[in-house]
Amino acid sequence: MSVRDVVAAADQLRRGAAVRHWWLGGAVLLFAAACLLPFLISGFRVFQFTQVGIYAIALLGLNILTGYNGQISLGHGAFYAVGAYTAAIMIDRWAVPYGWTVPAAGVLCFVVGFLFGIPALRLEGLYLALATFALALAVPQILKYFDDWTGGSQGIVLSKPEPPPGLPLTADQWLYFLTLAWLVALFVLAANLLRGRPGRALVAIRDHPIAAAAMGVNSALYKSLTFGVSAAYTGVAGALSALAIAFVAPDAFNVFLSITLLVGIVIGGLASISGPIFGALFIQFVPNWAQDISKAAPWAIYGVFLIGFVYVMPHGIAGAVRLAWRRLRRGAGTASGP
Amino acid sequence: MLTRRTLAVVLALALGVALAAPAGAQSTPGVTATEIKIGNTNPYSGPASAYGSIGKAIAAYFKKVNDEGGINGRKINFISYDDAYSPPKTVEMVRRLVEQDQVAFVFQTLGTPSNSAIHRYVNQQKVPHLFVATGATKWGNPQNFPWTMGWQPTYQTEGKVYAQYVLKNVKDPKIGILYQNDDYGKDYLKGFKDGLGEAGRKAVVLEQTYEVTDPTVDSQIANLKSSGANVFFNITIPKFAVQAIKKAHDLGWKPLHLLNQVSSSVGVVLQPAGVEASRGLISTLYLKDPTDPQWKDDQAYKDWLAFMQKYYPDGNTRDVFNVYAYSVAQTMVHVLKQAGNDLSRANIMKQAANIKDLALPMLYPGVKINTSPTDFYPIEQETLVKFDGERWVPFGEVYDAAKVR
């Protein structure tokens, strides 16, 4: 098994350069399609795809933590909530222009995540999952408690950001492009981070912490930083969601959101950069399809979808796509000769 | 390369403008000669899924209406989506209803946060947002939100009813109040104080609050007792209501105990608190309670039971939510009938704001629905009920909160 892995890794390294070329081409094509999309579909669909983009950012954040670094979090809904409320409070109480609230939410969530990551260092696997689960349970209650700031259970109503004057876009399209810009920037950043030294350190900590320490990786620092970066991504997503929905309330950030995010990264593909996009498409659209199929038991249908996906694609959608791609190339390779 | 990309961007923008321009030409969305589309969201899953039965009972009632020929020859197409009580999901589903399914209007969307999330959207789109399923007071604001209307008595209305009762029946009242420190509690408190009026407000000797995260309200009850209050307005959710009733009983404090309707469930609150401790509690009612034996031979109750058995056999016939759904659906049908053949959004809203003395079979006798262009609170009357150790017994007249406004 391990020998085959090594061979596969060597193989991948050899083809690395060519693959990266293809990747780049694919990404540019995808980006072009994403730019055209909002002009071809209705406002409601644009809104749905904006949500896909937002979920994708959050999922990428969680994937950095769970997929690459092996720390399981059942509480990322809490960071999503912190991000959303940061944006909402800044806009509603302090009249800050909405554009500033997104990076602010990211920075705040980085700090919160980093601080939470320090005590979490002592917790491994399931224990960390439980601690973060507690975070997800606590946050909606905390939000209701500080009702002078958060508006209590009634939440905060915002106005939807208008496109800058002169741009011939609807509010939905403008939000879509705003989200897309953040998505691309954060994905490029993550891809560079994860493909380089830090990424290898994260994976080493996940796979063999003792070996990683022996190689001189500062495990504690890396883990806390990863928690912070992951929370920052999720916080940015939360802030964008506050802008897109134009309303925040504690009920939107319950435990179910955290679990949905976890479902998203597993279905999309753990430890892959493209996985979050597939995962986001899944968690956005599959519940709606399930509801269209059966009004009586939508979550049963959703469960069937979930089991089906996990069974057919054990490495997530990204893993299946990678496999299909490899087979395709291998097929093409034998056809054209050595 | 660069020019081609510029060209693509320009093309895309032009296309976007072209696509964004039309829409809105259709005069009455969701209405054809044979059909009227009504949109709804309900929490069929998630933490509040107990309310899901409301959506199901409404769908069942519309099926009955359709089986009987529909309204003016039009069948109702009731499209109801699950929002799991999550405001972002409500936004998505309501946009789907309005923009994709092209419903004529939105009806009975459930939950205060969920409706807050779509409040501005439906009003900007000028889509009627009728008879929303929440007791908050903010839905009756025709000046700023002319497209949104509630249905059930609001928390403020209920507060006013208690105030009227106290003013009329308690000589020299000393009032103690316990309320949850949030919008729900404050809504009740405001209604109660408005009802008491300038003079009556002096009778309030002590106000105590609790946070929803507090473990108990024991010390608040002790404080209220020592304040010498002889009237206790208990504005608490079920968990704290149980504690408050128990503690007051244990301390031997026997005020006139007014319990808000939120916690009036016999099974969830009164029995856990102890029936002895709960005897004599006063609360309110505006629907016929299906568990009350006095309606056993009532024709309206029998009709309702027959409807439940035929169209919603899985539904619980002891659940007052199903009476609620039946009555609110009848209100909707009344409005549509009154609108005649002009089913434009503006006319539907106009008719909803023009209901005169509508008495529905399962409303408590004497409770009537009234609206006007300035009054977006359909039900403002309630009757008081007293707990006799077994069930809530209605007593006295029907109180009208509109009269003290």
Side-chain angles (χ1 to χ4, degrees):
Chain A
M1 188 66 191
S2 65
V3 174
R4 204 195 297 166
D5 274 353
V6 171
V7 171
D11 194 39
Q12 209 170 13
L13 235 97
R14 199 150 40 79
R15 298 177 184 207
V19 168
R20 189 159 300 175
H21 217 75
W22 278 103
W23 255 111
L24 211 65
V28 167
L29 216 70
L30 204 73
F31 178 68
C35 282
L36 265 179
L37 186 72
F39 301 108
L40 306 173
I41 54 180
S42 70
F44 165 66
R45 291 283 179 209
V46 174
F47 169 74
Q48 281 191 320
F49 277 101
T50 306
Q51 286 202 307
V52 169
I54 292 168
Y55 279 139
I57 294 171
L59 291 180
L60 182 62
L62 184 57
N63 212 356
I64 292 172
L65 184 75
T66 303
Y68 285 90
N69 200 212
Q71 305 191 64
I72 298 172
S73 169
L74 278 172
H76 260 49
F79 297 118
Y80 197 83
V82 171
Y85 269 92
T86 306
I89 290 170
M90 285 174 81
I91 295 169
D92 187 59
R93 300 290 141 98
W94 304 336
V96 177
Y98 66 88
W100 292 106
T101 64
V102 181
V107 170
L108 183 70
C109 283
F110 176 82
V111 174
V112 174
F114 183 76
L115 294 178
F116 187 83
I118 294 171
L121 279 176
R122 303 181 184 282
L123 305 169
E124 295 283 334
L126 291 173
Y127 303 98
L128 179 64
L130 281 186
T132 49
F133 183 64
L135 194 66
L137 285 175
V139 158
Q141 300 214 333
I142 294 169
L143 290 174
K144 285 181 191 174
Y145 189 83
F146 293 104
D147 61 349
D148 286 347
W149 286 73
T150 64
S153 57
Q154 303 280 305
I156 301 172
V157 179
L158 305 167
S159 17
K160 213 163 185 169
E162 289 294 321
L167 263 185
L169 295 174
T170 64
D172 284 323
Q173 288 166 339
W174 167 243
L175 260 170
Y176 174 89
F177 282 113
L178 188 70
T179 306
L180 187 66
W182 275 99
L183 181 76
V184 169
L186 290 176
F187 265 70
V188 169
L189 192 73
N192 283 325
L193 209 69
L194 292 170
R195 292 234 164 99
R197 266 174 65 96
R200 285 199 295 278
L202 291 190
V203 174
I205 292 169
R206 176 192 71 189
D207 288 343
H208 213 304
I210 297 169
M215 301 279 283
V217 175
N218 185 343
S219 179
L221 183 68
Y222 260 104
K223 277 176 133 179
S224 304
L225 275 175
T226 308
F227 220 107
V229 169
S230 166
Y233 270 68
T234 311
V236 166
L240 286 168
S241 89
L243 298 180
I245 305 288
F247 179 73
V248 291
D251 290 314
F253 308 107
N254 55 20
V255 179
F256 195 70
L257 173 66
S258 299
I259 294 172
T260 301
L261 294 178
L262 201 65
V263 167
I265 59 164
V266 174
I267 292 288
L270 284 167
S272 88
I273 307 261
S274 60
I277 294 179
F278 297 117
L281 288 166
F282 182 91
I283 60 179
Q284 172 62 33
F285 290 111
V286 170
N288 292 357
W289 290 338
Q291 206 181 116
D292 290 342
I293 293 169
S294 164
K295 283 251 160 60
W299 292 106
I301 306 273
Y302 181 75
V304 169
F305 268 110
L306 208 61
I307 294 169
F309 265 89
V310 172
Y311 188 75
V312 176
M313 307 176 189
H315 296 289
I317 302 174
V321 168
R322 207 181 302 136
L323 196 73
W325 175 244
R326 207 173 289 159
R327 278 197 186 142
L328 206 75
R329 276 175 56 85
R330 205 166 285 164
T334 47
S336 63
Chain B
M1 186 66 194
L2 192 73
T3 49
R4 199 179 290 174
R5 187 183 295 170
T6 322
L7 192 69
V9 170
V10 169
L11 231 137
L13 289 179
L15 196 64
V17 175
L19 285 173
Q26 213 177 351
S27 58
T28 47
V31 180
T32 66
T34 55
E35 187 191 67
I36 173 160
K37 266 191 208 168
I38 303 178
N40 168 266
T41 61
N42 238 278
Y44 295 111
S45 64
S49 59
Y51 293 124
S53 91
I54 293 176
K56 289 179 191 159
I58 290 172
Y61 186 76
F62 286 152
K63 183 162 190 314
K64 174 174 144 70
V65 171
N66 287 344
D67 283 357
E68 289 163 2
I71 301 167
N72 291 333
R74 289 189 185 87
K75 296 274 161 77
I76 294 172
N77 180 359
F78 183 64
I79 305 173
S80 181
Y81 293 129
D82 182 14
D83 67 1
Y85 209 71
S86 164
K89 202 77 193 156
T90 314
V91 172
E92 189 190 334
M93 288 301 137
V94 167
R95 290 197 59 170
R96 182 177 177 187
L97 288 164
V98 172
E99 294 171 35
Q100 215 172 22
D101 300 327
Q102 296 269 317
V103 296
F105 58 90
V106 182
F107 166 62
Q108 261 284 303
T109 40
L110 191 142
T112 305
S114 321
N115 277 295
S116 300
I118 57 171
H119 203 191
R120 205 172 278 184
Y121 169 75
V122 288
N123 279 274
Q124 274 167 354
Q125 300 281 318
K126 301 192 189 331
V127 175
H129 180 210
L130 283 178
F131 309 137
V132 297
T134 121
T137 306
K138 65 198 249 196
W139 312 120
N141 183 358
Q143 267 188 333
N144 298 321
F145 294 97
W147 297 89
T148 300
M149 191 185 282
W151 187 74
Q152 73 218 60
T154 64
Y155 300 146
Q156 286 192 23
T157 300
E158 197 186 329
K160 283 179 193 167
V161 169
Y162 295 122
Q164 283 188 36
Y165 176 76
V166 169
L167 289 181
K168 256 191 210 169
N169 295 289
V170 184
K171 216 188 241 176
D172 188 24
K174 290 198 199 67
I175 304 167
I177 304 171
L178 172 65
Y179 67 95
Q180 184 165 308
N181 188 20
D182 65 5
D183 303 282
Y184 138 73
K186 287 171 191 162
D187 233 19
Y188 262 115
L189 187 70
K190 179 175 188 309
F192 187 65
K193 284 188 168 171
D194 286 355
L196 287 175
E198 200 63 49
R201 233 166 288 167
K202 291 191 187 111
V204 177
V205 291
L206 186 64
E207 286 175 28
Q208 294 276 287
T209 65
Y210 71 92
E211 300 294 336
V212 76
T213 42
D214 286 353
T216 75
V217 292
D218 286 358
S219 63
Q220 285 93 326
I221 298 294
N223 292 344
L224 284 164
K225 188 199 174 203
S226 53
S227 76
N230 59 6
V231 174
F232 172 32
F233 186 19
N234 186 355
I235 311 171
T236 54
I237 58 172
K239 172 187 160 190
F240 297 105
V242 172
Q243 293 177 359
I245 294 165
K246 244 189 190 153
K247 189 71 187 174
H249 182 72
D250 291 348
L251 293 175
W253 183 35
K254 296 218 175 304
L256 172 71
H257 191 149
L258 307 163
L259 177 65
N260 64 174
Q261 203 185 1
V262 168
S263 295
S264 66
S265 167
V266 175
V268 175
V269 176
L270 305 188
Q271 281 167 356
V275 286
E276 262 327 298
S278 303
R279 197 185 292 273
L281 284 177
I282 287 175
S283 190
T284 59
L285 207 67
Y286 65 97
L287 293 165
K288 289 178 183 170
D289 179 357
T291 62
D292 187 342
Q294 74 160 310
W295 308 118
K296 197 160 52 75
D297 299 318
D298 183 46
Q299 189 55 44
Y301 172 74
K302 285 185 189 163
D303 291 347
W304 173 78
L305 202 62
F307 151 75
M308 286 295 290
Q309 279 156 359
K310 180 160 180 207
Y311 287 96
Y312 188 23
D314 301 341
N316 181 358
T317 54
R318 297 181 64 77
D319 186 349
V320 77
F321 286 157
N322 290 324
V323 176
Y324 168 90
Y326 180 77
S327 302
V328 77
Q330 284 176 332
T331 313
M332 195 64 248
V333 169
H334 174 86
V335 168
L336 292 177
K337 276 188 181 151
Q338 198 170 289
N341 269 323
D342 179 6
L343 290 172
S344 64
R345 285 174 172 168
N347 192 43
I348 288 170
M349 207 58 220
K350 192 177 152 199
Q351 297 309 324
N354 185 26
I355 305 175
K356 295 279 163 275
D357 282 335
L358 174 66
L360 295 172
M362 286 304 278
L363 287 182
Y364 191 82
V367 176
K368 292 196 176 92
I369 298 180
N370 275 297
T371 57
S372 77
T374 54
D375 174 10
F376 271 28
Y377 295 116
I379 301 180
E380 287 183 281
Q381 298 155 326
E382 292 178 278
T383 185
L384 288 161
V385 287
K386 191 179 245 170
F387 190 67
D388 71 351
E390 209 175 307
R391 63 188 183 88
W392 290 108
V393 183
F395 68 96
E397 68 208 282
V398 169
Y399 284 81
D400 193 339
K403 297 219 173 94
V404 287
R405 245 212 303 237

